[in-house]
């Protein structure tokens, strides 16, 4: 406050290279013309710098100067890593909108873990639904339980997208609840609501002896195909899962690598759906030939 110099940062690779380290910095900025100040967590900073031509030098510098800060803990008294403290404090500051309500930042750990769970359950539904139709699988109790889990999970996901999960559009994070709620309603709400309808559960629970060994009702499995609408959210799920893997295990997944993973997953899903469609057509031809022989 009195104009005293708090700390002098030594110059490194790109000027103030000390900012690349996992430690908390307290900085006073004096500008004679114009200045922009950005509050970035360590993970966000690394996500920005990984596309720089000197990324390898940045990473080597950070590894060579890695440090921890001491902190209080209830158990064994181990130190708290500066990056953990910084990310938690930054997420806590960002997790409240203008009205003071709780909002999950797109870079928060909870949001990324939730996206990973959404990716796994979406892939399950996209694989199991056509498989039951194409290969005449009976509707078992396990399938019924999984459909119930999908219904409950994505019902919660629908509510979180409406009230809690902030979004990032064109590089800008939208934390105002009214803004990202209206944006979600205009884009993905209808698709998520239709894919959420538990039509297969309703028909299965209203059908007697649906879990019998030789029982096969194609209507139930056909109604599960409505879950395929979740495929339009796969790009966002893959990006979120890649960001979580990069943060959790320090995997350097560039944009091209993420796009390649998404492309491979899309090709595999298309092949799976095509195989199930061919299996269904083959069964239909066998049934028609058998029916014509009986009629003759």
């Amino acid at each position: 406050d009195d104009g005293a110099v708090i700390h002098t940062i030594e110059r490194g690779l790109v000027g103030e290279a000390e900012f690349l380290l996992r430690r908390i910095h307290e900085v006073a900025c004096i500008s004679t013309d114009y200045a922009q100040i950005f509050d970035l967590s360590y993970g966000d900073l690394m996500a920005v710098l990984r596309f720089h031509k000197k990324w390898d030098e940045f990473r080597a510098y950070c590894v060579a100067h890695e440090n921890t800060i001491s902190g209080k803990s209830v158990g064994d008294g181990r130190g708290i890593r500066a990056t953990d403290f910084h990310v938690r404090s930054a997420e806590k500051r960002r997790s409240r909108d203008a009205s003071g309500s709780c909002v999950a930042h797109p870079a928060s750990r909870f949001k990324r873990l939730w996206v990973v769970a959404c990716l796994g359950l979406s892939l399950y539904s996209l694989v199991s639904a056509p498989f039951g139709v194409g290969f005449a699988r009976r509707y078992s109790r396990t399938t019924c339980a999984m459909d119930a889990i999908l219904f409950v999970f994505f019902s919660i996901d629908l509510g979180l997208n409406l009230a809690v999960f902030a979004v990032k559009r064109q590089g800008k994070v939208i934390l105002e609840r009214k803004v990202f709620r209206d944006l979600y309603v205009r884009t993905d709400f209808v698709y998520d609501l239709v894919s959420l309808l538990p039509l297969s559960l309703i028909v299965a629970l209203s059908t007697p002896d649906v879990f019998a060994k030789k029982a096969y009702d194609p209507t139930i499995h056909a109604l599960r195909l409505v879950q395929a609408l979740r495929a339009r959210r796969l790009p966002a799920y893959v990006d979120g899962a890649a960001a979580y893997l990069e943060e959790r295990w320090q995997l350097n997944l560039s944009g091209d690598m993420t796009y390649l993973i998404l492309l491979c997953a899309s090709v595999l899903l298309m092949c799976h759906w095509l195989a199930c469609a061919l299996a269904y057509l083959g069964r239909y031809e066998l049934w028609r030939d058998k029916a014509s022989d009986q009629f003759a």
Side-chain angles (χ1 to χ4, degrees), residues 98-140:
S99 62
S101 302
C102 182
V103 173
H105 193 274
S108 63
R109 182 171 299 179
F110 171 70
K111 173 64 181 296
R112 288 177 174 174
L113 283 173
W114 188 267
V115 169
V116 172
C118 288
L119 177 62
L121 292 177
S122 298
L123 290 177
Y124 166 79
S125 61
L126 290 174
V127 170
S128 63
F131 183 77
V133 176
F135 294 93
R137 306 295 296 179
R138 68 184 183 90
Y139 192 76
S140 62

Side-chain angles (χ1 to χ4, degrees), residues 199-258:
L199 301 177
S200 59
L201 279 176
I202 296 174
V203 174
L205 296 178
S206 60
T207 303
D209 299 331
V210 67
F211 300 124
K213 290 185 177 180
K214 295 184 179 180
Y216 170 66
D217 191 351
T219 305
I220 299 177
H221 291 286
L223 291 175
R224 297 182 69 214
L225 294 177
V226 74
Q227 300 172 3
L229 290 174
R230 298 194 185 104
R232 69 187 308 272
R233 300 286 298 274
L234 280 182
Y237 292 157
V238 171
D239 289 340
Y244 172 75
L245 292 176
E246 185 174 0
E247 177 187 6
R248 181 66 177 83
W249 287 289
Q250 300 297 323
L251 297 178
N252 187 13
L253 297 176
S254 61
D256 295 335
M257 181 63 68
T258 304

Side-chain angles (χ1 to χ4, degrees), residues 280-293:
Y280 178 78
L281 292 176
R283 287 193 306 106
Y284 176 75
E285 291 294 332
L286 290 176
W287 174 82
R288 191 176 65 173
D289 294 341
K290 184 177 180 181
S292 62
D293 292 341

Side-chain angles (χ1 to χ4, degrees), residues 175-213:
L175 293 175
E176 292 78 10
R177 175 175 284 112
K178 185 178 184 300
V179 177
F180 69 71
R181 181 178 58 221
D182 294 342
L183 183 62
Y184 176 68
V185 170
R186 292 196 306 267
T187 54
D188 298 326
F189 176 75
V190 176
Y191 297 96
D192 291 347
L193 184 63
V194 173
S195 65
L196 183 64
L197 297 177
L199 301 177
S200 59
L201 279 176
I202 296 174
V203 174
L205 296 178
S206 60
T207 303
D209 299 331
V210 67
F211 300 124
K213 290 185 177 180

